[in-house]
Amino acid sequence: MPYVKSHIRRDGARVRAHYRKRRRARGGGAARRGRSGGGAGSAALLFGGVSALVLVVLAVDFVRRHPYWSVLLLAVVGLAVAALLFARARQRARQRVEQERQRVEQARRDMLIAVTDAMSGPEFERWFARLLEASGFRQVTVTGGSGDRGADVVAVAPDGRRVVVQCKRQSAHNRVGSAAIQRFAGTCREVHGGQLCVIVTNSFFTAGDGVRLARQLDIALVDRAALETWAWTRTPPPGLFAAR
């Protein structure tokens, strides 16, 4: 707030002037609070150190006065810790056994082509990816989804070639036609760099034109019959690696 102060000039005239009080910098208060906070932290640290020292002294005094009770308490604590570690180890072992059981069960179910009939498209892609891994393919990745441009699964074949797969999960009466084959041929090599292009379906391909087009475009076709044998034997169809 401004205040008024009067003074006399050299010529003898009295004048009044208005002045404004300067506010104290807020940083000083913050610094003081910081210093007080640091002091509180130091005090807490000191208190903790003193408390720990007191506990150590009391423990040493108890051991010196009651050596047998100390050994008994130490044994009880050791047994409790051992029991806890044993229980946790058993729990981990049960979890590993359960995971292995689920893996074996999943592998057994994956051998049956009938399970694919109730799957969605993404489930069928993951199912075929597991089949590739079980057949010795490496770096198997499910890439299907929005914007996949025809590549649902990519992998590296046992002979080192890059494999690009389009999965067609269809109903039994719905066959894969030549249009799907032609679209996949336009992206498999140019876009995805596929050296081995494969279309796999749990149904069948249109006879005649579709099969001929696949041969012309160097696209390997795996229909339900070939896929069933592959899933059961974990061995790719013999003609699959003949594609260039």
Side-chain angles (χ1 to χ4, degrees):
M1 294 293 293
Y3 64 96
V4 180
K5 183 178 180 181
S6 62
H7 62 278
I8 300 175
R9 295 190 308 194
R10 292 182 178 180
D11 57 2
R14 180 181 294 275
V15 296
R16 301 175 67 187
H18 294 268
Y19 296 89
R20 186 178 297 273
K21 292 182 178 180
R22 295 182 179 178
R23 295 183 179 180
R24 294 182 178 179
R26 295 182 179 180
R32 286 193 297 274
R33 287 193 296 271
R35 288 193 296 270
S36 62
S42 300
L45 184 62
L46 178 61
F47 177 76
V50 171
S51 300
L53 180 61
V54 170
L55 290 176
V56 170
V57 171
L58 291 176
V60 171
D61 182 68
F62 180 84
V63 171
R64 186 173 57 192
R65 291 172 178 270
H66 309 284
Y68 298 107
W69 281 107
S70 301
V71 173
L72 180 61
L73 288 176
L74 184 61
V76 170
V77 171
L79 289 175
V81 171
L84 178 61
L85 294 176
F86 179 73
R88 297 182 71 175
R90 287 192 60 186
Q91 182 180 7
R92 293 195 188 98
R94 286 195 298 267
Q95 290 176 349
R96 288 194 296 268
V97 170
E98 178 62 20
Q99 290 172 356
E100 180 63 17
R101 187 193 66 80
Q102 293 178 358
R103 187 192 67 79
V104 172
E105 177 65 20
Q106 181 68 63
R108 187 190 65 81
R109 293 184 70 253
D110 285 347
M111 295 174 67
L112 305 175
I113 190 65
V115 300
T116 64
D117 296 332
M119 291 180 178
S120 64
E123 288 172 340
F124 182 59
E125 294 166 7
R126 292 192 292 270
W127 177 85
F128 186 70
R130 292 195 297 270
L131 178 57
L132 288 176
E133 290 178 338
S135 304
F137 289 71
R138 308 184 310 276
Q139 301 177 25
V140 180
T141 305
V142 178
T143 59
S146 177
D148 60 22
R149 304 186 71 178
D152 295 322
V153 181
V154 296
V156 175
D159 62 2
R161 281 184 291 174
R162 176 176 171 82
V163 183
V164 179
V165 183
Q166 185 174 84
C167 299
K168 291 291 187 182
R169 213 295 303 174
Q170 308 278 65
S171 57
H173 62 276
N174 191 5
R175 294 174 177 257
V176 180
S178 59
I181 298 173
Q182 188 172 2
R183 286 194 299 270
F184 180 58
T187 60
C188 178
R189 293 183 175 84
E190 297 298 327
V191 176
H192 303 293
Q195 295 172 291
L196 178 58
C197 300
V198 184
I199 299 180
V200 58
T201 180
N202 65 328
S203 181
F204 296 92
F205 296 92
T206 303
D209 184 52
V211 176
R212 286 194 301 270
L213 182 62
R215 289 172 182 168
Q216 293 173 2
L217 299 176
D218 197 14
I219 304 295
L221 302 180
V222 180
D223 63 7
R224 185 182 183 91
L227 185 60
E228 182 176 18
T229 302
W230 188 351
W232 185 258
T233 63
R234 295 295 193 266
T235 303
L240 183 64
F241 293 99
R244 292 285 184 265

